[in-house]
């Protein structure tokens, strides 16, 4: 059975050297094998998470003319992407019908003063005038997500025996995207095409992703070589942390970027509709991500990349403006 540990930040902070070494060994083993762990002690108030999900859900019920005002205008953009606009599995070269979900994207308010750079990497957020409560809720929630992401990056550096700021010193004005993903029910969409999923198989592009998920029959599955596809444990109140392609490269293959998917809405639960909150944390867009040398790195011989360029190239493979 795959090891998927739970990191409790409160325990980590209070742990002595020996206990930290035990926690680090479990995390390292899981990230080498699969690329995922659960997170407790993150400090996100449950009422805020509930509010984020409730406010976000309202976006997808807006009438067409209001949806059009907040629609995305280019592949790397904030705003609403409707059903049929995403085929995430395309990054693996998989040709399947479009993913069965809608998404609303928001990002940071970082600005450098270079208009072209900021437009490229920090697209403006699009807020619906009809939903004034969402902006405030979103900004409070993403403040926690950014804080947690930097904290996790510090923990990961310590797990590798590196200075705590090894990753975070290149992540102080990181690009990130907060998704509210709505997975409509089978009743709402009518039918599922052969090979169609709520989210196709893929790895995330950034450093880490934080997922607050709902339990469902058409839910998350993850993959590793030992077990193939399987459902990770569900623990209420925890966040799922998974590694993305940037961290895989940063560690020169020592740690795996999590391959995962979300199953189609099931015939056995035709009314099931879910909302996932997903925070994709990357790095400073102009950061040179240099793979760690062995023995800390995995010795796969990966080449350095500019973080933002790498992200934009992959986003262009998976998203369209058709939804």
């Amino acid at each position: 059975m795959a090891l998927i540990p739970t990191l409790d930040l409160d325990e980590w902070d209070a742990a002595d050297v020996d206990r930290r070494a035990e926690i680090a060994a479990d995390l390292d083993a899981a990230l080498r094998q699969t690329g995922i762990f659960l997170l407790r002690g993150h400090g996100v108030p449950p009422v805020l998470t509930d509010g984020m999900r409730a406010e976000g859900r309202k976006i997808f019920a807006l009438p067409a003319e209001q949806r059009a005002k907040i629609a995305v205008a280019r592949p790397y953009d904030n705003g609403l992407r409707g059903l049929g606009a995403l085929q995430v599995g395309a990054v693996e070269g998989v040709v399947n019908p479009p993913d069965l979900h809608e998404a609303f994207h928001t990002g940071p308010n970082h600005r450098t003063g270079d208009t072209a750079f900021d437009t490229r990497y920090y697209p403006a957020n699009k807020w619906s005038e009809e939903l004034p409560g969402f902006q405030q809720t979103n900004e409070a929630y993403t403040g926690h997500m950014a804080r947690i992401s930097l904290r996790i990056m510090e923990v990961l550096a310590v797990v590798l025996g590196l200075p705590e700021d090894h990753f975070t010193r290149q992540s102080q004005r990181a690009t990130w995207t907060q998704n509210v993903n709505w997975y409509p029910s089978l009743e709402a969409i009518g039918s599922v095409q052969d090979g169609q999923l709520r989210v196709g198989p893929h790895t995330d592009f950034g450093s880490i992703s934080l997922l607050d998920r709902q339990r469902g029959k058409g839910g998350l599955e993850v993959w590793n070589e030992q077990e193939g596809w399987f459902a990770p444990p569900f623990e209420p109140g925890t966040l799922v942390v998974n590694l993305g392609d940037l961290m895989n490269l940063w560690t020169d293959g020592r740690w795996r970027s999590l391959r995962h998917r979300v199953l189609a809405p099931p015939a056995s639960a035709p009314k099931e509709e879910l909302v996932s909150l997903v925070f994709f944390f990357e790095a400073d867009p102009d950061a040179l991500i240099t793979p760690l040398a062995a023995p800390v790195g995995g010795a796969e011989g990966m080449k350095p990349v500019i973080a933002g360029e790498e992200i934009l190239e992959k986003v262009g493979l998976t998203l369209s403006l058709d939804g």
Side-chain angles (χ1 to χ4, degrees):
M1 187 69 179
L3 169 69
I4 299 181
T6 299
L7 170 66
D8 188 320
L9 286 176
D10 293 331
E11 181 187 15
W12 176 265
D13 289 340
D16 60 19
V17 172
D18 289 342
R19 179 57 184 143
R20 274 204 175 186
E22 292 174 354
I23 297 169
D26 285 346
L27 289 173
D28 183 47
L31 298 179
R32 287 175 184 259
Q33 182 187 54
T34 310
I36 182 176
F37 60 93
L38 303 185
L39 182 70
R40 288 193 207 109
H42 47 69
V44 183
V47 66
L48 179 58
T49 301
D50 292 345
M52 181 68 172
R53 185 169 270 113
E55 289 292 328
R57 189 185 294 270
K58 297 175 184 177
I59 293 169
F60 306 105
L62 286 169
E65 64 272 19
Q66 303 302 333
R67 289 167 59 94
K69 292 179 181 179
I70 55 173
V72 298
R74 55 194 172 97
Y76 192 69
D77 196 12
N78 293 321
L80 177 64
R81 289 186 189 275
L83 206 62
L86 301 100
Q87 188 185 356
V88 179
V91 76
E92 293 191 354
V94 177
V95 180
N96 278 331
D99 294 346
L100 290 170
H101 78 273
E102 297 190 1
F104 189 76
H105 313 288
T106 56
N109 293 318
H110 306 318
R111 297 295 181 266
T112 66
D114 181 331
T115 301
F117 184 93
D118 291 344
T119 300
R120 181 173 175 83
Y121 292 115
Y122 304 126
N125 288 316
K126 299 174 182 176
W127 308 111
S128 170
E129 296 176 356
E130 286 69 31
L131 302 174
F134 178 72
Q135 180 176 356
Q136 182 177 1
T137 302
N138 183 84
E139 289 177 350
Y141 185 82
T142 57
H144 280 285
M145 293 298 105
R147 168 185 61 80
I148 295 165
S149 295
L150 290 170
R151 187 75 181 94
I152 292 300
M153 298 282 273
E154 291 174 344
V155 172
L156 294 179
V158 173
V159 168
L160 292 171
L162 301 171
E164 190 177 67
D165 70 344
H166 181 83
F167 300 123
T168 58
R169 61 176 177 248
Q170 290 184 283
S171 308
Q172 294 304 301
R173 47 184 177 80
T175 53
W176 54 255
T177 301
Q178 173 69 59
N179 273 21
V180 181
N181 284 355
W182 177 55
Y183 303 122
S185 69
L186 185 60
E187 283 188 350
I189 61 174
S191 63
V192 176
Q193 300 178 53
D194 289 344
Q196 197 168 28
L197 300 172
R198 281 173 162 159
V199 183
H202 68 289
T203 57
D204 293 343
F205 307 148
S207 299
I208 63 172
S209 303
L210 306 177
L211 166 65
D212 186 285
R213 60 195 270 234
Q214 293 183 304
R215 189 195 299 269
K217 293 184 177 181
L220 176 69
E221 288 193 333
V222 302
W223 184 91
N224 66 32
E225 279 128 350
Q226 292 77 21
E227 300 189 47
W229 290 107
F230 64 97
F234 181 89
E235 182 181 327
T238 63
L239 294 171
V240 174
V241 181
N242 65 266
L243 301 195
D245 296 343
L246 277 186
M247 187 57 72
N248 172 250
L249 184 143
W250 228 331
T251 62
D252 202 17
R254 173 180 179 139
W255 286 345
R256 178 184 297 278
S257 50
L258 177 71
R259 188 168 182 244
H260 56 292
R261 65 187 184 183
V262 181
L263 298 178
S268 61
K271 296 181 184 295
E272 177 186 280
E273 56 107 17
L274 306 172
V275 175
S276 285
L277 307 176
V278 197
F279 187 82
F280 303 99
F281 188 80
E282 294 152 4
D284 296 345
D286 52 358
L288 179 66
I289 306 300
T290 302
L292 288 162
V296 178
E300 290 198 5
M302 297 180 175
K303 304 299 182 184
V305 300
I306 302 297
E309 294 178 4
E310 183 77 356
I311 296 296
L312 290 185
E313 180 179 351
K314 289 185 174 182
V315 167
L317 294 174
T318 63
L319 304 178
S320 76
L321 303 178
D322 297 333

